Amino acid sequence: MPASSDSPVPPPGRRVGATYRVQVRPGFDLDATAGLVDYLADLGVTHLYSAPLLTATPGSAHGYDVVDHRAVNPELGGEAARRRLVAALRAAGLGLVVDIVPNHAGVARPEANPAWWDVLRRGRESAYARWFDIDWDAGRLRLPVLADTPDALGDLKLVDGELRYHEHRFPVADGTGDGSPVEVHDRQHYELVSWRRGDAELTYRRFFAVSDLAGLRVEDPEVFAATHAEVLRWATAGEVDGIRVDHPDGLRDPAAYLARLRAAAPAAWLVVEKILEYGEELPEWPVDGTTGYEALAGVCGLFVDRRAEGEFTALDTRLTGTATSWPELIHATKLAAATRLLAAELTRLAALAPEVDRSDARAALAELAACFPVYRGYPPEGARHLAAARAEAGRRRPDLTAALDTLTARLRNPDDELGQRFPQLTGAVMAKGVEDTAYYRWSRFVALNEVGGSPAHFGTPPAEFHRFATARQRRWPRAMTTLSTHDTKRGEDVRARLAVLSELPQRWAEQVGRWTAEAPLPDPAFAHLLWQTVVGAWPIERERLHAYVEKAAREAAASTSWTDPDPVFEHALHALVDRLYDDPGLHASITAFAGEITGAGWSNALGQKLVQLAMPGVPDTYQGTELWDNSLVDPDNRRPVDFAVRRELLARLDAGWRPPVDASGAAKLLVVSRTLRLRRDRPDLFGDHRPVPAHGPAAEHAVCFDTGGALAVATRLPVGLDRRGGWGDTSVSLPVHDLTELFTGRVYAGGRVPLADLLGTYPVALLAPTDSREAS
């Protein structure tokens, strides 16, 4: 709903300087979140950044399955609790950033979603029929809930004027309730079908391949207004300073949507969960930037030794018995996603091109999606990406030349419905084919297999990082930076420890070779992923590792899958996990090796955290990651956080304790709190990015940059630094005035300072003009 010229101007909010993400959920509701406010203020953030707050499917642990856009989720405490949270934030001088979900709504429980229930009851005559992206011309609305048996409908029952299938409830249209349950079912606007038919036969657009999440048509101004009214009311009242937009690539017209949202919330800090491929630029949308996955990739890559790429490729080939091509792998997984997981969406697109044989249209569109080099193309760059996809698709499928030419001509037309819908498919194909499949199959070096990353791009040299950060300061200085989110495949400190392996390729090859020989798994590629995960997260609770390997193996869909679990393989997988804990020799070997790399992993973790917090952008800290975090993929990374421990450690730091770099993680809390406080108290020191060179024999091991008044220094490749005997006479030149190093409290007079002195206590340093020391 665009703001008119006489729309009320929101009261000035607090400028978003740094955020702390909290997974507000049943069990940790809005009142529990309000109880964190004093801790977050002490930590140094300016804003709480919450998971979605609108009413979600009952019991939802994440909130991205909104069922009612009119109200705050009662399981979080409802509107009253939201107001209490806002009041607590205001009293502490903090603000609120909220997460919104414009692309889809939760439909797993129709009775919980009033709009969806009405659509099921009244069909295309429902006042809400235009809300959802339904192909009404394809017949009844198909819902994939039945068991995959011929007589599944026999379990239908009529109860209280509703159709019931086990725990599922469905409405009955007026005047259609007489007869047997099957007869009543056959008169409805919807048809219950086997869950196995969902990927191929659904008649509504989904979020990726999740049938419980139905696509919304927010391109319709009335749908936008109805689904955004509550959040925009908060923004207009000055109760929300920032909005995070979930998955804009799924929308029909993201640029138009974001223009409408910006007009409706002109004062909001607006960031989008747009995943950029390596080297891809964010379109010039009316937003402040992305949620920071590209920053995550660049920062983490700084701590990976590029020189090990060849050895890891050779190791992967040796372990798996085949040389795996990343481009060929992702083409195969994307094509499978397009033709299997997203078959229903593909069928709908093919039907929009009646001038092409239906089979050829499906094959050509799937090939174009599999060859599309980015998640989604946008003008004007989108034409280049489409041309690249057309060329590659033609090379792979010359038999489809005529179909490819016809379809590509239509896809170039932004007014063509086919051209509008196809980009919604390419993003889903990339996410399901690469993030959710290939990342679990290609285990060459899994620290790189991260959302927004490029596993084929082995590490980020400092010069490349500085170019990236400088460009970010120039173009998107208010974009978010992050190292961990609820969507990352593994926690930031797991990746930091895994980066150490890039400095020990031969040692790792020997060790993993012994383990795979001693405890083999039928899938050698997945075995390599498992062993890397184990050493990256060790020690990890047995039940967490069991849950992770089952999910990861099913996502890989190589030896087992979600739709067809292989009990023999999964038994072998779980038996191997148990052996890691029950075999004393194997357990001791894992513990010893993890111990070898833990110290260097801590160094990397502190280094990447400082770089992320000090570089251009608005830094986010994901809940709990101010201490060491060995989380894996969700739901593991949504586990409860022990805030009492964090409060106690922060109080000790504020009392003058300078902790060692040890298992407590207090050193990381020191880095996080002192950097965030400096950004909060002296924002004038953070408005630039200028590389500062180190001088001397170990210069390659230092990352130094001026933030516009402060100086950040981090150690990279710590194993190699130790091998060369330390910093020696390597130094860095400081500005010629007094600077306080905020982690140790030491004061430097400026000039050339030995890194052995500057980094003698911690592997990182943050220096600011001495009059800024109160920020520590």
Side-chain angles (χ1 to χ4, degrees):
M1 180 171 54
S4 63
S5 59
D6 58 352
S7 295
V9 177
R14 183 178 177 90
R15 179 177 174 83
V16 182
T19 60
Y20 188 98
R21 169 72 176 205
V22 175
Q23 290 297 116
V24 184
R25 65 190 186 281
F28 198 90
D29 60 13
L30 289 164
D31 285 319
T33 303
L36 300 179
V37 167
D38 61 332
Y39 168 71
L40 299 185
D42 288 344
L43 191 64
V45 300
T46 64
H47 283 72
L48 166 70
Y49 160 36
S50 81
L53 300 182
L54 296 178
T55 304
T57 300
S60 174
H62 50 77
Y64 289 94
D65 46 356
V66 176
V67 295
D68 191 340
H69 294 82
R70 298 171 298 180
V72 175
N73 192 344
E75 292 189 317
L76 303 181
E79 174 65 7
R82 184 194 70 83
R83 291 180 178 176
R84 289 192 292 271
L85 173 62
V86 169
L89 289 168
R90 284 178 168 172
L94 302 185
L96 179 63
V97 173
V98 295
D99 201 340
I100 65 170
V101 192
N103 176 66
H104 53 268
V107 296
R109 293 182 53 179
E111 74 279 8
N113 187 325
W116 186 252
W117 184 267
D118 197 73
V119 169
L120 297 185
R121 183 183 176 199
R122 293 184 167 88
R124 65 196 312 168
E125 301 304 316
S126 167
Y128 302 100
R130 63 193 301 177
W131 279 39
F132 302 97
D133 198 351
I134 298 169
D135 184 3
W136 291 107
D137 294 332
R140 291 198 288 166
L141 178 57
R142 300 189 190 106
L143 306 178
V145 299
L146 297 180
D148 190 37
T149 58
D151 59 349
L153 279 176
D155 289 334
L156 269 180
K157 294 180 172 57
L158 270 170
V159 180
D160 296 332
E162 297 175 357
L163 280 172
R164 303 283 177 90
Y165 180 74
H166 299 294
E167 73 276 16
H168 301 286
R169 296 170 52 190
F170 305 96
V172 171
D174 293 345
T176 66
D178 294 332
S180 71
V182 173
E183 290 171 335
V184 173
H185 165 266
D186 290 343
R187 301 187 193 108
Q188 302 311 306
H189 298 286
Y190 56 86
E191 176 187 3
L192 306 184
V193 299
S194 163
W195 66 270
R196 283 191 179 275
R197 292 172 59 188
D199 292 337
E201 299 184 16
L202 294 194
T203 52
Y204 61 94
R205 181 175 61 83
R206 303 167 290 171
F207 170 64
F208 296 162
V210 184
S211 299
D212 289 342
L213 299 174
L216 287 170
R217 295 185 60 257
V218 293
E219 64 270 18
D220 184 317
E222 292 184 14
V223 179
F224 176 93
T227 56
H228 289 66
E230 184 66 2
V231 170
L232 292 177
R233 180 178 70 82
W234 307 339
T236 300
E239 297 171 341
V240 162
D241 297 322
I243 298 173
R244 181 257 196 195
V245 179
D246 183 68
H247 188 51
D249 276 346
L251 305 178
R252 174 76 75 95
D253 188 347
Y257 165 81
L258 292 168
R260 180 176 285 122
L261 182 60
R262 171 56 78 198
W269 178 65
L270 194 57
V271 289
V272 290
E273 190 201 21
K274 167 60 183 165
I275 299 171
L276 300 170
E277 289 295 281
Y278 180 73
E280 183 185 3
E281 295 285 348
L282 181 68
E284 292 292 342
W285 289 336
V287 300
D288 291 285
T290 71
T291 53
Y293 288 114
E294 69 282 0
L296 181 157
V299 173
C300 293
L302 262 177
F303 300 87
V304 172
D305 192 340
R306 302 193 83 184
R307 293 166 293 197
E309 180 173 11
E311 292 178 89
F312 272 86
T313 301
L315 173 62
D316 180 70
T317 301
R318 187 162 65 251
L319 291 174
T320 62
T322 184
T324 302
S325 162
W326 175 248
E328 291 301 315
L329 172 61
I330 62 171
H331 176 268
T333 55
K334 290 172 69 177
L335 190 62
T339 56
R340 298 175 192 170
L341 294 176
L342 298 160
E345 287 78 4
L346 182 64
T347 296
R348 187 173 182 181
L349 287 177
L352 294 175
E355 69 275 26
V356 179
D357 174 80
R358 182 64 59 88
S359 177
D360 286 351
R362 283 178 54 86
L365 288 166
E367 193 65 55
L368 285 168
C371 295
F372 213 79
V374 296
Y375 276 73
R376 176 172 175 160
Y378 294 95
E381 294 83 2
R384 173 169 58 86
H385 298 314
L386 179 59
R390 167 62 185 88
E392 179 63 10
R395 183 186 72 81
R396 291 179 178 273
R397 293 293 304 271
D399 58 308
L400 294 174
T401 295
L404 288 167
D405 285 342
T406 300
L407 293 169
T408 302
R410 290 191 57 189
L411 295 178
R412 292 193 190 103
N413 182 0
D415 297 323
D416 190 315
E417 185 178 4
L418 182 63
Q420 294 170 344
R421 287 190 176 277
F422 180 71
Q424 293 177 294
L425 176 70
T426 62
V429 165
M430 180 73 83
K432 296 305 297 179
V434 180
E435 280 182 43
D436 291 346
T437 305
Y439 277 6
Y440 292 97
R441 288 192 190 177
W442 204 45
S443 52
R444 180 180 74 162
F445 185 60
V446 300
L448 303 175
N449 296 14
E450 195 50 84
V451 182
S454 175
H457 185 73
F458 205 95
T460 307
E464 182 179 325
F465 169 76
H466 289 309
R467 287 194 296 272
F468 165 79
T470 301
R472 186 180 179 86
Q473 175 63 42
R474 184 178 65 253
R475 294 198 63 208
W476 302 103
R478 303 287 300 148
M480 180 182 280
T481 67
T482 190
L483 290 181
S484 297
T485 77
H486 57 281
D487 285 326
T488 43
K489 303 301 182 185
R490 49 195 57 81
E492 59 196 59
D493 299 329
V494 175
R495 295 194 303 272
R497 190 190 293 180
L498 288 175
V500 179
L501 300 182
S502 71
E503 296 195 75
L504 301 166
Q506 294 180 359
R507 174 79 178 91
W508 172 245
E510 294 167 359
Q511 184 65 73
V512 76
R514 284 196 293 270
W515 284 337
T516 54
E518 183 179 353
L521 192 68
D523 183 337
F526 191 80
H528 195 201
L529 179 144
L530 183 152
W531 290 113
Q532 290 176 79
T533 301
V534 167
V535 300
W538 198 262
I540 179 173
E541 296 85 349
R542 184 193 302 240
E543 64 275 11
R544 288 177 55 209
L545 189 57
H546 272 297
Y548 171 79
V549 297
E550 182 171 292
K551 174 172 181 173
R554 290 181 178 182
E555 294 280 42
S559 296
T560 187
S561 68
W562 292 109
T563 53
D564 292 294
D566 185 319
V568 175
F569 176 78
E570 292 191 3
H571 175 77
L573 183 60
H574 288 297
L576 174 56
V577 170
D578 281 331
R579 187 174 173 187
L580 306 185
Y581 297 90
D582 298 335
D583 183 322
L586 188 56
H587 187 276
S589 177
I590 294 168
T591 301
F593 184 84
E596 287 181 36
I597 63 175
T598 292
W602 286 339
S603 175
N604 286 341
L606 295 178
Q608 68 180 13
K609 197 64 186 176
L610 175 63
V611 171
Q612 179 246 331
L613 295 177
M615 70 182 289
V618 175
D620 177 56
T621 301
Y622 184 72
Q623 62 173 33
T625 61
E626 62 270 36
L627 297 185
W628 304 136
D629 176 59
N630 72 340
S631 292
L632 301 174
V633 74
D634 72 288
D636 194 66
N637 57 24
R638 304 178 199 266
R639 301 189 325 280
V641 175
D642 190 338
F643 286 105
V645 167
R646 287 157 177 79
R647 287 178 188 273
E648 178 186 353
L649 289 175
L650 187 57
R652 292 180 65 191
L653 294 177
D654 290 344
W657 178 48
R658 290 298 177 262
V661 181
D662 63 9
S664 73
K668 190 180 183 188
L669 182 61
L670 176 70
V671 170
V672 171
S673 61
R674 275 43 183 173
T675 308
L676 289 176
R677 289 176 184 181
L678 183 65
R679 291 198 70 130
R680 177 195 64 196
D681 299 338
R682 289 295 306 275
D684 57 299
L685 299 179
F686 294 85
D688 201 357
H689 183 93
R690 295 194 302 273
V692 175
H695 304 280
E700 71 163 330
H701 295 279
V703 180
C704 313
F705 55 92
D706 187 326
T707 68
L711 188 73
V713 185
T715 303
R716 63 185 296 268
L717 310 183
V719 174
L721 178 65
D722 186 62
R723 284 174 177 163
R724 68 166 67 241
W727 292 108
D729 60 359
T730 307
S731 62
V732 64
S733 294
L734 305 183
V736 186
H737 53 74
D738 284 353
L739 295 170
T740 298
E741 201 290 302
L742 298 185
F743 307 143
T744 62
R746 295 184 63 181
V747 177
Y748 294 86
R752 185 158 290 192
V753 174
L755 285 176
D757 180 48
L758 184 63
L759 302 178
T761 303
Y762 300 113
V764 291
L766 179 62
L767 300 115
T770 296
D771 62 0
S772 301
R773 62 184 179 274
E774 64 271 14
S776 67

